[in-house]
Amino acid sequence: MRKIIIIALFFLIGGMSFAQDTETDNTASYKKRVLETNEVDFLMSYYTQDGTHAAVSGGIGTEKLTDITPTIVVAIPLNSDDVLTVDAGISAYSSASSSNINPFDSSQPASPYSDSSGASASDVWTGGTISYAHSSDSRNHIVEGHLSVASEYDYFSIGFGGSYTHLFNEKNTEISIKANVFLDTWNPQYPIELRPGFTNSDIVGTGTYNPFKYQAFNDESRNSYSVSISFSQILTKNLQASVFVDFVQQQGLLSTPHQRVYFMDQPDFFIDDFQLADDVERLPDSRFKIPIGMRLNYFLNERLTFRTYYRFYNDDWGVNSHTASIEVPFKISDKFTVYPVYRFYTQTAADYFAPYEMHLSTQEFYTSDYDLSKFHSHQYGFGFNYTDIFTAMHIWKFGLKSIDFRYGYYDRSDGLTANIFSAGFKFLLD
């Protein structure tokens, strides 16, 4: 995988040299700018979910969670050819599930089906990305590079990458290659009962509580490397198709340290109604993923469009999945568009998954995280878009170019349900 990354970066650097050194400006005194003026996007999403298979409590318990994510994206044209983009946001969540990393810090009896009041009940993720893109004079070659940073209470991540895009055949054909590297460091938050010095006189069970398989992880890093290749083609004036393939290699701590596992061949111990962990989730330290997908967009007429998407996914943990979606934008007027959305997803279980108390202590790898189980899901939604390229509406010096609103309802076969609301406002700076 490292060789793939090196090869990809070689092509990126080569493409950059080609774009900058071999092309000349054949225009006269005027060249259309890639981005005419500063653009500012304000994005906001609200997500809520509930279910009964929390991974923190070994595949049982509440999965109730809410998350609010405000984000701002600023695109700045540096000159006719170059654009600098800054993307910064936060994600503030409240989770009944993660609060049960320590379920015994509440005045209420501990239970996997109720939340605790501890520090892990809520947190804020912060992240930002800065990117730089250069377009050749012909606009047939685009080189982009970016750097990102993200932080949460239990991990820190830094990422970098780049892409090269080549358009030809009168811009009817596009080929793109992207490469990314993410270097993450965990600050593991183990279940409270597995931490050194834990004692509690209210433990109930046969014998003495002794999680003999548990030991802290030695490697607290997780590195991800990816290469993506995509091809897009305008087939007719009404039909456009694109295909892509990704190669993703992950190495390091791929287990989630605060997710409990219970063995069927070990005695059970409780404090109140909460079962003490036999161990934490343990998964291999490498994972290779290959998603392959395609998009097909058909413009029926000036008012109605069909956008379809399909993806097949495979990894070496035994997960295979299929994703299919359709979106049908209908243009009500020159400025207003509505679009219904439907998405279907199905996957096989990972080799290392088993439900609550179905693992054996003799196994090397195990998880009861239902994200790695066999399931299928449906997502239904709709969207609304307002676009005014002339930015007639202004807020101070910002002209409103577009408003986009979406709602989706998610229903998974294991009982997890979710609602997501998202909105975006694009402004041009006068």
Side-chain angles (χ1 to χ4, degrees):
M1 189 62 201
R2 295 178 186 271
K3 292 182 179 179
I4 295 175
I5 299 295
I6 292 171
I7 293 171
L9 292 176
F10 171 80
F11 278 111
L12 288 176
I13 295 170
M16 183 182 296
S17 300
F18 178 79
Q20 293 180 344
D21 296 340
T22 68
E23 289 206 23
T24 59
D25 187 357
N26 294 321
T27 61
S29 59
Y30 173 77
K31 178 169 59 175
K32 183 175 175 61
R33 298 169 68 90
V34 175
L35 185 65
E36 292 295 335
T37 187
N38 295 336
E39 291 187 353
V40 180
D41 287 279
F42 293 99
L43 310 174
M44 174 70 74
S45 69
Y46 173 76
Y47 174 85
T48 179
Q49 71 169 44
D50 204 355
T52 57
H53 293 293
V56 173
S57 44
I60 59 172
T62 178
E63 295 178 86
K64 189 175 182 180
L65 178 146
T66 60
D67 181 85
I68 299 176
T69 308
T71 303
I72 183 171
V73 181
V74 181
I76 305 168
L78 302 178
N79 51 51
S80 297
D81 303 325
D82 302 320
V83 176
L84 180 70
T85 302
V86 179
D87 180 339
I90 64 173
S91 176
Y93 74 84
S94 174
S95 170
S97 173
S98 65
S99 74
N100 283 327
I101 294 174
N102 181 6
F104 313 120
D105 57 0
S106 172
S107 59
Q108 301 297 320
S111 169
Y113 293 97
S114 63
D115 56 337
S116 178
S117 58
S120 58
S122 61
D123 192 44
V124 175
W125 172 95
T126 58
T129 300
I130 184 169
S131 63
Y132 172 85
H134 171 80
S135 298
S136 64
D137 292 333
S138 68
R139 303 299 185 248
N140 287 332
H141 306 275
I142 304 169
V143 178
E144 181 268 346
H146 56 266
L147 176 68
S148 63
V149 177
S151 178
E152 199 174 356
Y153 78 101
D154 62 348
Y155 88 98
F156 176 81
S157 174
I158 184 168
F160 56 91
S163 66
Y164 171 66
T165 301
H166 176 50
L167 295 88
F168 57 98
N169 189 22
E170 297 182 344
K171 293 184 170 59
N172 290 318
T173 307
E174 178 181 313
I175 296 177
S176 178
I177 182 170
K178 301 177 182 178
N180 285 293
V181 176
F182 292 96
L183 308 176
D184 304 342
T185 301
W186 282 91
N187 177 23
Q189 305 295 307
Y190 296 101
I192 188 65
E193 66 270 29
L194 299 178
R195 299 178 191 177
F198 173 81
T199 59
N200 193 302
S201 60
D202 296 326
I203 297 176
V204 176
T206 302
T208 302
Y209 176 57
N210 177 29
F212 69 96
K213 287 208 68 175
Y214 168 74
Q215 59 179 353
F217 293 102
N218 293 322
D219 184 3
E220 297 181 353
S221 66
R222 177 182 60 195
N223 300 333
S224 301
Y225 313 92
S226 68
V227 172
S228 178
I229 303 170
S230 62
F231 174 83
S232 177
Q233 177 67 50
I234 298 176
L235 301 173
T236 70
K237 66 177 183 179
N238 298 96
L239 187 64
Q240 181 182 19
S242 61
V243 295
F244 70 85
V245 59
D246 297 342
F247 303 94
V248 182
Q249 176 69 53
Q250 293 183 295
Q251 295 175 329
L253 179 51
L254 306 185
S255 308
T256 304
H258 56 253
Q259 295 186 172
R260 294 174 174 86
V261 169
Y262 302 111
F263 300 130
M264 63 187 301
D265 58 346
Q266 295 299 309
D268 299 338
F269 293 88
F270 292 84
I271 297 177
D272 298 327
D273 292 327
F274 200 96
Q275 186 172 347
L276 305 185
D278 291 327
D279 197 6
V280 296
E281 171 185 270
R282 297 196 183 273
L283 294 168
D285 60 4
S286 68
R287 189 180 189 184
F288 185 65
K289 312 175 183 180
I290 304 180
I292 302 172
M294 67 173 295
R295 297 181 184 272
L296 192 65
N297 297 335
Y298 182 70
F299 303 87
L300 183 64
N301 52 48
E302 63 180 8
R303 292 194 178 275
L304 188 62
T305 303
F306 294 88
R307 298 175 180 170
T308 62
Y309 170 83
Y310 170 76
R311 188 192 76 161
F312 170 75
Y313 168 91
N314 171 265
D315 67 30
D316 56 2
W317 285 8
V319 178
N320 296 309
S321 72
H322 301 270
T323 306
S325 68
I326 183 169
E327 182 177 301
V328 187
F330 179 75
K331 197 170 185 180
I332 300 174
S333 67
D334 290 341
K335 295 182 179 180
F336 295 96
T337 302
V338 295
Y339 43 91
V341 180
Y342 171 71
R343 176 183 180 271
F344 174 77
Y345 177 84
T346 182
Q347 76 171 36
T348 60
D351 297 335
Y352 318 111
F353 172 81
Y356 164 75
E357 283 207 327
M358 293 301 293
H359 285 292
L360 293 172
S361 60
T362 54
Q363 294 175 298
E364 181 180 8
F365 300 117
Y366 32 82
T367 179
S368 293
D369 184 348
Y370 272 71
D371 287 345
L372 294 172
S373 71
K374 178 182 179 180
F375 68 85
H376 64 269
S377 66
H378 304 272
Q379 185 170 335
Y380 314 89
F382 66 89
F384 168 84
N385 177 267
Y386 164 84
T387 300
D388 179 10
I389 60 175
F390 299 107
T391 63
M393 186 183 300
H394 279 69
I395 299 177
W396 192 48
K397 294 183 179 181
F398 295 90
L400 180 61
K401 182 178 180 180
S402 67
I403 300 174
D404 192 78
F405 171 82
R406 289 192 177 216
Y407 166 74
Y409 173 74
Y410 178 78
D411 184 16
R412 204 160 87 174
S413 57
D414 66 350
L416 179 70
T417 59
N419 294 274
I420 182 168
F421 303 84
S422 61
F425 302 85
K426 182 183 289 291
F427 293 91
L428 303 184
L429 182 60
D430 295 342

